[in-house]
Amino acid sequence: MSTPNISIVGTGYVGLSTAVGFASKGYKVITSTHDNEKASKINEGVAPFYEPNLQELLKKALKDDGLKCVLDCKEAVMNTDITFIATGTPSRPDGSANLEYIENSAHEIGEALKEKDAYHLIVVKSTVVPGTTEDVVKSAIEEYSNKQCGVDFGLCMSPEFLRQGAALHDTLNPDRIVIGEYDKRSGDVLESLYRNFYGKKPPPIIRTNLETAELIKHTNNAFLATKISFINSIANICERIPGVDVTTVAEAVGLDRRIGPSFLNAGIGYGGSCFPKDVKALIAYSRTLAYNPDLLIAVEKINETQPYRAVKLCKGFLGDLKGKRIAILGLSFKPNTDDMREARSIPIINQLLKEGATITAYDPVAVAVAKTIFANEIDYASSAIECLKNADCCILVTEWEEFKKLKPEDFTKNMKQPILIDGRRIYNPEDFSQKMKFTAIGLGAKIPAIVLGQNLFDRAN
Ligand code: UGA
C-alpha cells in the first residue's frame, strides 16, 4: 500500500485530534459524524470543542485540502484505505459500556465494504472491554459486508492514551503504540502506517492480540485512577496528623523510581469522560468473569466520597451552611477544557445547595456548560475576583493557571470572611495560613473535630 488515505468515524476529542494529527503530516483524512452541526463547524474550520492547538491545525488541514468531514460513513470508507473507529462508549446504569455507537459504526462500515473490492483495514480506537472488537465489531462488519475478516478486510484494536487538554501533543508524542491484531497482515499494515507517521524515531510498538490490547487500555486507566485514589486515601490520613502535608509525602514517595511522581496529586478526586466510566466498566466486566475486583471497587468508592471532603472542611470553619455564600473557583473536570462530565464540582455544588448554601461559581471556559447543568440554581461570576465578592468561604475546585496567580490579598480584600479550602493543592499553606483561614485536602492542621468526621463510616470520613 502506498501512502494510505485515512477515515475516522467519530469526531470527539480522540477522533478529531487523531484526524488533525494525521492531516498535519500530509495524510488525506475523511472524518464522519451524524451530527450535522458538528460536521459544518469542522468543515468551516471551527473546532467543536476546546482543545489546545486544535483550532489552528484544523484550519491548516482544511487549507491544505488534507481533511474533510462527511455525514455518510460509507463515503468515508469508500474513499480511504484504513478506517479508525473512535466513537464514544458511555456508561450504562450498571456500569458496563454502552456499545450502541460502536455497533452502528461497524454496521455502516460493513455496508460500505460490501461495495468495495480492495482490502481495507479497520482499527478500533474506542475504549472497549476484552472481546468487544471480535464479538461486536468483527461480527457486524462480516454480517453487513458479507466478507471475511482476515481475508477481505483486516482488523486491529489500537487504544489511544490521549489526555484531554493535551490531545494533539499526546497524538504526536505517545509513550508507546499498542497494536492488537486479528491476524498478522492487519498488524503489519497498521505498524507500517505508524512507522511512516512517526518517522525516524517511532515510539516503542507492542504487537499483541485484540483482547490483550483492549485490556491494556483498561489497565492503564485503572492504574492511573488507582494512583489518584491511593494518594487521596493517604491525604485523608494526613489531615488527621497535625503538621503532616500530603504534598511532601507524595513528593518524596514519587522520587522512588519504582513509583514515579505522576498522578500523585491529591485532591477532590478524578472526573472526566474516561476514568470514572472505565473503572466502572472494568468492574462490571470482571464480574461477568465471576471475579469481584475489590481493589477497583475501593478506588471508585474513594473517588465518590472524596469531593465531600471539601464540603466537610468548609463546614469545619462555618458550621451550619444555611444562608452562607460559597465561592466555587473552577467547574471543569480539569484545566484547559470546558468538559464537565463527572466533574468534581457537580457533587460539591449539589451537596452545598442541599445544605442551604448559596453558590457563586466561576470558570474561565466552562460557565456555558455549567448553565446546562445548574441553570439558575447558582450564580455565575465573570471573573475570579467577582466570584470571591462577599463570599463566606471559597473552595478551589479546578487548578486553572489563572487561579494559581491569586494572592492571599485577593481573598482577604474581597470576601466577607476570608476562608479558603484548596481542593487541588495549588496554594502554599504557609503563605495563606498567615493571612486568612486556610486549609487544604491532605493538610494536617489543628482543625475542628467535625472536619475529621465523628463516624468512621461517615460519607466523607
Ligand atoms: C485520561 C488518561 O490520562 C489518558 O491517558 C486516556 O487516554 C484518557 O483518560 C482516555 O481514556 O481517553 P483525561 O481523562 O483526559 O485522560 O485526563 P487526566 O489528565 O488523566 O485527568 C483525569 C482526572 O484525574 C482529572 O479530574 C484530574 O483532575 C484527576 N487527577 C489527575 C488527579 O486528581 N490527580 C492527579 O494526580 C492526576
Side-chain angles (χ1 to χ4, degrees):
M1 204 183 278
S2 52
T3 302
N5 291 338
I6 314 281
S7 48
I8 297 179
V9 187
T11 49
Y13 85 98
V14 173
L16 196 55
S17 304
T18 308
V20 166
F22 274 117
S24 75
K25 296 226 179 174
Y27 292 84
K28 293 269 180 228
V29 183
I30 305 180
T31 60
S32 83
T33 173
H34 290 315
D35 186 332
N36 212 333
E37 200 187 318
K38 225 174 175 187
S40 310
K41 276 191 167 173
I42 292 170
N43 287 325
E44 283 160 19
V46 181
F49 47 83
Y50 178 76
E51 187 63 45
N53 296 328
L54 183 65
Q55 180 71 57
E56 297 78 0
L57 283 178
L58 173 63
K59 276 208 157 122
K60 186 171 182 307
L62 291 166
K63 198 170 147 248
D64 298 346
D65 210 15
L67 186 144
K68 71 172 174 176
C69 185
V70 298
L71 290 168
D72 182 12
C73 172
K74 197 165 164 188
E75 183 186 342
V77 174
M78 292 304 277
N79 293 297
T80 55
D81 308 292
I82 300 177
T83 301
F84 287 89
I85 300 180
T87 41
T89 50
S91 287
R92 286 205 200 100
D94 68 351
S96 65
N98 177 351
L99 299 175
E100 195 186 326
Y101 303 109
I102 301 249
E103 275 180 285
N104 284 346
S105 305
H107 175 156
E108 288 175 357
I109 292 168
E111 286 188 338
L113 290 186
K114 196 174 183 177
E115 294 170 27
K116 195 177 174 199
D117 292 330
Y119 179 85
H120 195 97
L121 176 68
I122 291 98
V123 184
V124 175
K125 259 202 172 291
S126 311
T127 302
V128 291
V129 297
T132 312
T133 302
E134 174 121 22
D135 299 344
V136 177
V137 178
K138 174 179 158 278
S139 306
I141 298 177
E142 284 189 330
E143 183 185 341
Y144 290 97
S145 66
N146 250 329
K147 291 194 168 170
Q148 202 186 336
C149 187
V151 178
D152 308 303
F153 67 92
L155 183 62
C156 286
M157 195 286 151
S158 183
E160 55 73 27
F161 302 96
L162 318 179
R163 292 161 298 165
Q164 255 172 281
L168 280 161
H169 172 271
D170 292 351
T171 302
L172 300 173
N173 308 283
D175 290 340
R176 73 325 210 165
I177 296 287
V178 174
I179 298 177
E181 61 202 47
Y182 177 75
D183 62 341
K184 186 170 178 308
R185 182 179 178 192
S186 305
D188 286 348
V189 173
L190 189 57
E191 179 167 351
S192 142
L193 171 73
Y194 284 136
R195 288 203 179 276
N196 197 16
F197 182 84
Y198 290 107
K200 284 200 182 110
K201 276 196 176 168
I205 296 180
I206 310 280
R207 281 180 67 166
T208 181
N209 56 35
L210 297 173
E211 290 79 6
T212 306
E214 291 166 326
L215 190 60
I216 287 171
K217 171 61 195 253
H218 270 290
T219 305
N220 214 83
N221 273 4
F223 187 73
L224 293 171
T226 302
K227 267 187 122 175
I228 299 169
S229 280
F230 174 81
I231 201 67
N232 284 341
S233 191
I234 298 295
N236 296 342
I237 297 173
C238 291
E239 280 173 29
R240 290 160 163 83
I241 317 172
V244 173
D245 185 342
V246 71
T247 56
T248 315
V249 174
E251 186 189 351
V253 167
L255 285 169
D256 185 322
R257 267 173 285 198
R258 295 167 301 176
I259 297 173
S262 330
F263 281 71
L264 286 182
N265 298 327
I268 48 181
Y270 58 79
S273 63
C274 303
F275 289 167
K277 163 180 79 75
D278 294 347
V279 172
K280 282 189 180 70
L282 190 51
I283 292 171
Y285 172 70
S286 304
R287 284 176 174 153
T288 67
L289 304 175
Y291 174 64
N292 205 38
D294 293 327
L295 177 64
L296 299 178
I297 293 164
V299 166
E300 198 195 6
K301 187 174 171 222
I302 291 164
N303 198 56
E304 271 173 12
T305 53
Q306 197 63 10
Y308 300 108
R309 284 295 314 149
V311 178
K312 208 139 204 193
L313 292 171
C314 179
K315 285 171 79 173
F317 284 118
L318 293 176
D320 189 357
L321 295 181
K322 217 171 181 142
K324 299 282 174 12
R325 179 163 289 276
I326 314 295
I328 299 289
L329 288 181
L331 292 159
S332 57
F333 86 94
K334 68 174 190 179
N336 295 327
T337 175
D338 60 356
D339 198 332
M340 282 189 65
R341 282 177 286 177
E342 298 281 343
R344 303 294 82 191
S345 57
I346 299 171
I348 291 176
I349 290 175
N350 281 336
Q351 184 65 25
L352 292 169
L353 288 172
K354 203 166 141 196
E355 304 216 9
T358 50
I359 312 287
T360 309
Y362 169 68
D363 187 284
V365 300
V367 167
V369 180
K371 284 182 179 168
T372 66
I373 299 170
F374 296 111
N376 56 8
E377 274 186 291
I378 66 172
D379 298 324
Y380 304 92
S382 55
S383 69
I385 298 297
E386 191 193 317
C387 184
L388 296 176
K389 291 241 153 85
N390 297 321
D392 294 291
C393 179
C394 170
I395 304 180
L396 182 287
V397 172
T398 316
E399 65 277 33
W400 283 94
E401 275 309 309
E402 69 170 81
F403 299 153
K404 292 184 184 166
K405 292 179 191 141
L406 293 172
K407 302 266 174 297
E409 296 68 38
D410 293 316
F411 295 88
T412 51
K413 275 186 196 152
N414 291 293
M415 294 176 72
K416 189 155 128 202
Q417 305 188 57
I419 302 175
L420 173 59
I421 316 285
D422 184 354
R424 292 289 182 189
R425 302 309 316 264
I426 63 172
Y427 297 116
N428 181 327
E430 271 179 36
D431 292 353
F432 278 78
S433 305
Q434 277 168 15
K435 298 189 175 141
M436 59 191 293
K437 288 182 183 165
F438 174 87
T439 195
I441 297 287
L443 183 66
K446 288 208 169 81
I447 39 182
I450 182 177
V451 181
L452 298 176
Q454 310 295 347
N455 174 353
L456 272 184
F457 299 99
D458 198 344
R459 226 176 160 202
N461 60 67

